[in-house]
Amino acid sequence: MRLKISLLKEPKHQELVSCVGWTTAEELYSCSDDHQIVKWNLLTSETSQIVKLPDDIYPIDLHWFPKSLGTKKQTQAESFVLTSSDGKFHLISKLGRVEKSVEAHCGAVLAGRWNYEGTALVTVGEDGQIKIWSKAGMLRSTLAQQGTPVYSVAWGPDSEKVLYTAGKQLIIKPLQPNAKVLQWKAHDGIILKVDWNSVNDLILSAGEDCKYKVWDSYGRLLYNSQPHEHPITSVAWAPDGELFAVGSFHTLRLCDKTGWSYALEKPNTGSIFNIAWSVDGTQIAGACGNGHVVFAHVVEQRWEWKNFQVTLTKRRTMQVRNVLNDAVDLLEFRDRVIKASLNYAHLVVSTSLQCYVFSTKNWNTPLIFDLKEGTVSLILQAERHFLLVDGSGIYLYSYEGRFISSPKFPGMRTDILNVQTVSLSNDTIAIKDKADEKIIFLFEASTGKPLGDGKLLCHESEILEIALDQKGLTNDRKIAFIDKNRDLYITSVKRFGKEEQIIKLGTMVHTLAWSDTCNILCGLQDTRFTVWYYPNTVYVDRDILPKTLYERDASEFSKNPHIVSFVGNQVTIRRADGSLVHISISPYPAILHEYVSSSKWEDAVRLCRFVKEQTMWACLAAMAVANRDMTTAEIAYAAIGEIDKVQYINSIKDLPSKESKMAHILMFSGNIQEAEIVLLQAGLVYQAIQINIDLYNWERALELAVKYKTHVDTVLAYRQKFLETFGKQETNKRYLQYAEGLQVDWEKIKAKIEEEITKERERSSSSQSSKNIGLMH
């Protein structure tokens, strides 16, 4: 990825340009110390003077009023705030009319920023004050006051906090009074510029110590650049939070959100005092010290999938290379490319007006449909369909271009959704809530309606990243997520009645990805790269989970690596310096998943015998129990030396009825309540009581016996025997109450138990014979 610079031969301004701002993706306003405000039209390459300001107004900062205002959407910004050196800020219309000038600070007003909703304006000045103003320019409050000039300010993603500079310090101050203020030393020189991104919640800072730094919202340093030759005068996040730009003297740099640099350009600009990204994130404008406005396009982005590599060579052209036969195709578009995604044998490209869907089998005939709103901020793909996110909503389309659904939820803000907060599978869409970050909304892909009975997925702490598995049945769909403690959890997306368990899979997990071919999960854990070959094991037999993992040392990936993709058995990881590392994992677990999904149990056992690996046998054991195939489970458990479980499975096989077997398989997986329900529904009350006795659930055993008026004496007898074994006295009031005047007769109890077992056998054989008669007819 690099920047394609365009710079006029002669500058349009006579003095230094102090600030720039985009109205649409093709129109920019620039302000200069020559008192002119100039409009640039990039389609026609024309410039026109909008207004000449009075000679005593030297503009310093410009910010357009936000476009999206609640439900009312504007196609373009209509007015902007301009701060100036005379201590005022000016609200100016698009046509250049000064609507209002407000005395704001003593000395210059160094920065002014609208919040995301457009309901408040923050200004900072040389007098060290931070002031909040209403939309109409009325003073609401002075948020803070200090002895040094405040050079830059930014709103937090939820417009509830303000970040500002104080010499070498950075300060985050919430708008609520008495809320905790976060302050830390960020640079060794005065901090000149800050920016805070609403999508990734990361902070950028630049200073006179010639460095730029990336921080999280808690003030933890994520990236620290090498010192440059000159002070860094400007930094700005791209709207989607994936890239940022850095400006200095004769220097423009394009960086990844993790800090490493994609491209360095050295245009003849003087210092770049201000950088603005276009709305669609495809180009940058810079306000230059020598009167120029520099424009830079982001080109040569690259997408890879299996043997295909797609490169954006120009604004409207892509090159597709098949690395197997070196065949090259050129894809031409009518408008400039904004976003693209290559996955599941399809390339989806959104331009400013249309969406193109290419199949990797045929690059010549794309499917094209028009977009409602041009600026697509995110494309997500699954095997059957893809998701587009733009400023007004979330839309699901099939690869044939048919609109499927558009999920909605209260308080939805699509502008802050990214790959970590939205996940798509063939049947489910999951979206993390921004208002309450402990909640995940789950939707049916086909209808866009909430999944199941509409219950939300709630966790006890804030969730950072979510991912749905891609294969298998809808009923078995799982979602994995990482919370702010860096713990990895898994749960079922099925939301009917009973609350699904959320089970912890790992700790200190920084990044995760599901395979696109089967339900294998990989993640980077502290100093290890871990693959969960069968994450569902936690629901079947948690004891053998460690045996189903593959782990290797991850120190070679350096600090803060990130998983880019998991295609087939190839995992691609991006290191902190931007380099890509490819890891191949064993292909056998994927083959095992395939055999099991098509119920080829004999082939699965044969494969495990051929591979001779404990992880394979452990996965097969869990898969077999999950699919109720106890013969295979017995072989697999024997292979990993779990003798107690082999014996238990043998005892299950000898049970007389289908329901009893089912109940004991459920008990094997720890689902005791479900096991009891199965038995009670089948009318096997004694067996339900017996499993509670076996598990020493004495309260429940007695409760069932009393409720169904049967085997109360059996429960009391077993309880008495249990207490005698441990030499203890009965203290439970309910047991004392029912034991009064009751003599335990073991002969009688044994006869009753024999009778129950015989009854169950007879029931089982009669149901079997009636089945056979039905088949004969």
Side-chain angles (χ1 to χ4, degrees):
M1 206 185 294
R2 67 178 184 85
L3 290 172
K4 189 178 170 191
I5 299 277
S6 53
L7 201 60
L8 296 177
K9 282 183 183 160
E10 290 300 319
K12 290 288 176 188
H13 288 284
Q14 315 310 303
E15 299 280 340
L16 73 82
V17 183
S18 55
C19 47
V20 286
W22 298 86
T23 54
T24 66
E26 301 292 356
E27 188 181 79
L28 177 100
Y29 278 48
S30 64
C31 302
S32 161
D33 277 5
D34 61 7
H35 312 290
Q36 289 189 58
I37 298 179
V38 173
K39 178 166 87 172
W40 303 69
N41 187 327
L42 299 195
L43 286 176
T44 58
S45 302
E46 288 174 357
T47 56
S48 56
Q49 182 182 318
I50 292 293
V51 67
K52 189 164 190 317
L53 298 166
D55 287 349
D56 59 337
I57 295 179
Y58 289 89
I60 295 176
D61 193 19
L62 168 160
H63 194 217
W64 283 93
F65 190 74
K67 280 191 220 169
S68 54
L69 202 59
T71 51
K72 194 179 87 192
K73 292 266 188 275
Q74 294 163 256
T75 49
Q76 55 189 49
E78 292 300 331
S79 65
F80 61 91
V81 62
L82 184 73
T83 72
S84 60
S85 57
D86 60 354
K88 293 178 181 171
F89 69 81
H90 314 272
L91 301 176
I92 303 175
S93 77
K94 197 170 177 224
L95 302 169
R97 194 170 76 246
V98 179
E99 306 280 356
K100 192 169 189 179
S101 293
V102 180
E103 285 279 358
H105 294 265
C106 293
V109 185
L110 296 175
R113 283 281 172 268
W114 292 108
N115 69 358
Y116 292 100
E117 295 77 32
T119 52
L121 170 74
V122 62
T123 60
V124 295
E126 283 184 326
D127 57 1
Q129 294 193 341
I130 296 94
K131 293 183 175 180
I132 309 285
W133 307 81
S134 73
K135 182 182 162 187
M138 307 296 285
L139 181 64
R140 281 195 189 151
S141 66
T142 300
L143 189 67
Q145 208 163 346
Q146 59 185 38
T148 52
V150 181
Y151 288 101
S152 188
V153 67
W155 286 95
D158 50 7
S159 299
E160 295 288 322
K161 299 183 181 111
V162 170
L163 162 76
Y164 59 90
T165 68
K168 301 172 186 180
Q169 309 267 330
L170 281 180
I171 300 170
I172 297 177
K173 187 165 171 64
L175 297 189
Q176 274 97 12
N178 308 326
K180 187 170 173 260
V181 177
L182 187 64
Q183 179 170 351
W184 71 96
K185 183 181 182 231
H187 286 262
D188 295 326
I190 286 172
I191 301 166
L192 300 175
K193 267 283 191 292
V194 292
D195 197 10
W196 193 345
N197 187 261
S198 63
V199 180
N200 61 30
D201 201 17
L202 299 180
I203 291 167
L204 274 177
S205 64
E208 286 188 349
D209 57 357
C210 307
K211 290 180 180 179
Y212 61 89
K213 300 185 182 188
V214 183
W215 312 84
D216 68 8
S217 55
Y218 301 104
R220 288 183 294 221
L221 181 66
L222 302 180
Y223 182 82
N224 182 8
S225 78
Q226 291 298 315
H228 289 55
E229 290 171 43
H230 303 281
I232 310 285
T233 45
S234 53
V235 281
W237 281 110
D240 64 0
E242 291 300 313
L243 304 169
F244 64 86
V246 178
S248 179
F249 181 73
H250 286 344
T251 304
L252 187 58
R253 195 183 271 280
L254 179 69
C255 302
D256 183 78
K257 66 176 175 191
T258 50
W260 56 274
S261 181
Y262 274 111
L264 173 66
E265 300 294 333
K266 291 281 190 180
N268 183 20
T269 55
S271 285
I272 298 174
F273 290 113
N274 189 308
I275 292 175
W277 282 84
S278 64
V279 189
D280 55 17
T282 57
Q283 52 192 335
I284 306 164
C288 310
N290 59 3
H292 274 292
V293 172
V294 63
F295 292 96
H297 269 98
V298 180
V299 290
E300 290 185 21
Q301 282 145 293
R302 195 167 287 159
W303 297 268
E304 289 175 1
W305 181 78
K306 293 195 173 172
N307 52 311
F308 291 100
Q309 188 181 62
V310 178
T311 310
L312 181 70
T313 49
K314 295 179 192 161
R315 299 175 65 183
R316 298 187 180 92
T317 312
M318 280 181 157
Q319 185 192 67
V320 181
R321 183 183 292 276
N322 184 343
V323 294
L324 293 181
N325 56 12
D326 231 14
V328 174
D329 287 278
L330 277 182
L331 313 178
E332 299 277 349
F333 301 95
R334 197 183 71 188
D335 309 291
R336 69 182 184 287
V337 172
I338 292 176
K339 274 269 183 279
S341 174
L342 174 63
N343 215 335
Y344 296 103
H346 286 87
L347 171 69
V348 181
V349 180
S350 78
T351 67
S352 48
L353 297 170
Q354 293 172 313
C355 181
Y356 294 72
V357 182
F358 296 86
S359 166
T360 53
K361 296 186 184 98
N362 181 3
W363 295 104
N364 302 321
T365 51
L367 192 132
I368 306 169
F369 60 89
D370 290 337
L371 293 168
K372 291 179 186 174
E373 189 180 302
T375 322
V376 169
S377 57
L378 180 66
I379 302 174
L380 279 184
Q381 288 177 260
E383 192 180 14
R384 293 185 200 152
H385 42 233
F386 64 94
L387 191 76
L388 296 181
V389 178
D390 68 17
S392 54
I394 299 167
Y395 309 99
L396 190 69
Y397 291 91
S398 69
Y399 287 115
E400 291 76 51
R402 184 172 56 81
F403 172 72
I404 300 171
S405 67
S406 175
K408 290 182 174 61
F409 57 89
M412 180 167 84
R413 262 184 71 187
T414 52
D415 57 329
I416 53 172
L417 298 176
N418 64 2
V419 185
Q420 277 81 36
T421 55
V422 189
S423 188
L424 176 68
S425 71
N426 283 337
D427 41 54
T428 313
I429 302 168
I431 304 169
K432 189 187 88 167
D433 189 14
K434 181 69 187 166
D436 182 354
E437 296 196 341
K438 299 175 183 177
I439 288 175
I440 299 172
F441 290 101
L442 298 164
F443 300 96
E444 256 176 60
S446 53
T447 61
K449 292 189 174 132
L451 206 64
D453 50 13
K455 261 192 203 161
L456 305 172
L457 199 163
C458 298
H459 187 52
E460 67 245 8
S461 59
E462 285 88 354
I463 295 164
L464 297 180
E465 189 174 341
I466 61 174
L468 287 161
D469 64 7
Q470 296 299 316
K471 290 289 178 179
L473 303 168
T474 310
N475 276 350
D476 299 332
R477 182 71 56 237
K478 298 283 185 290
I479 184 167
F481 59 86
I482 300 172
D483 69 8
K484 74 166 190 185
N485 303 322
R486 292 285 169 197
D487 291 332
L488 171 65
Y489 290 86
I490 189 169
T491 185
S492 171
V493 301
K494 206 170 58 186
R495 286 268 167 287
F496 284 109
K498 189 172 81 71
E499 195 61 39
E500 285 294 333
Q501 264 185 307
I502 297 177
I503 300 178
K504 190 193 278 196
L505 267 184
T507 55
M508 294 307 292
V509 180
H510 301 285
T511 170
L512 80 158
W514 287 96
S515 166
D516 65 339
T517 50
C518 57
N519 290 337
I520 295 177
L521 179 68
C522 73
L524 284 162
Q525 251 186 310
D526 207 13
T527 56
R528 299 186 312 286
F529 169 69
T530 309
V531 182
W532 289 266
Y533 284 136
Y534 186 57
N536 215 17
T537 309
V538 290
Y539 287 99
V540 181
D541 182 358
R542 219 180 292 187
D543 303 344
I544 62 166
L545 180 68
K547 292 181 180 176
T548 63
L549 303 183
Y550 163 72
E551 289 187 316
R552 62 174 274 181
D553 182 49
S555 55
E556 61 180 290
F557 309 133
S558 72
K559 201 178 143 200
N560 292 339
H562 175 73
I563 296 171
V564 178
S565 66
F566 186 178
V567 178
N569 62 332
Q570 185 100 355
V571 182
T572 306
I573 294 170
R574 195 178 286 286
R575 301 196 327 194
D577 61 0
S579 58
L580 291 172
V581 182
H582 301 281
I583 299 175
S584 288
I585 62 166
S586 166
Y588 298 121
I591 300 168
L592 185 66
H593 272 274
E594 210 174 298
Y595 282 152
V596 169
S597 62
S598 43
S599 297
K600 295 179 179 170
W601 294 105
E602 286 176 15
D603 291 352
V605 171
R606 214 170 289 133
L607 176 71
C608 290
R609 283 184 177 141
F610 166 71
V611 179
K612 298 189 182 71
E613 268 185 21
Q614 193 187 37
T615 46
M616 291 287 284
W617 282 115
C619 288
L620 181 61
M623 288 170 180
V625 174
N627 289 282
R628 320 265 187 261
D629 188 310
M630 298 324 272
T631 314
T632 309
E634 190 182 351
I635 297 165
Y637 275 113
I640 56 172
E642 300 273 344
I643 306 305
D644 53 335
K645 286 171 184 171
V646 174
Q647 284 181 327
Y648 187 68
I649 291 166
N650 265 326
S651 71
I652 293 174
K653 283 183 181 173
D654 298 338
L655 291 168
S657 71
K658 188 175 77 193
E659 290 87 354
S660 276
K661 283 177 184 168
M662 180 71 174
H664 279 80
I665 291 169
L666 285 166
M667 277 177 66
F668 185 93
S669 303
N671 301 325
I672 293 145
Q673 255 181 315
E674 284 174 45
E676 190 186 281
I677 291 163
V678 166
L679 291 170
L680 291 173
Q681 280 172 349
L684 301 171
V685 179
Y686 164 69
Q687 284 78 351
I689 293 168
Q690 189 60 52
I691 65 169
N692 278 297
I693 291 172
D694 292 343
L695 293 167
Y696 304 118
N697 286 346
W698 297 111
E699 292 272 349
R700 182 66 182 152
L702 185 60
E703 194 183 313
L704 287 172
V706 171
K707 185 179 174 184
Y708 290 95
K709 299 187 176 66
T710 178
H711 287 284
V712 178
D713 54 343
T714 312
V715 176
L716 292 168
Y718 276 106
R719 172 77 171 180
Q720 198 175 323
K721 191 177 178 185
F722 167 75
L723 291 170
E724 280 168 8
T725 310
F726 290 98
K728 292 196 171 184
Q729 288 295 311
E730 182 61 83
T731 53
N732 189 308
K733 284 180 184 174
R734 288 200 71 189
Y735 273 93
L736 287 168
Q737 180 191 336
Y738 285 101
E740 263 178 46
L742 189 82
Q743 287 298 314
V744 173
D745 185 347
W746 274 106
E747 291 300 319
K748 200 175 163 188
I749 287 165
K750 277 177 187 166
K752 267 170 87 175
I753 293 169
E754 282 295 322
E755 195 186 320
E756 289 284 358
I757 292 164
T758 313
K759 242 197 275 180
E760 189 183 348
R761 277 209 186 94
E762 281 167 6
R763 251 187 73 181
S764 175
S765 57
S766 67
S767 69
Q768 191 57 48
S769 56
S770 63
K771 232 186 219 173
N772 294 344
I773 291 162
L775 286 168
M776 281 162 70
H777 281 306

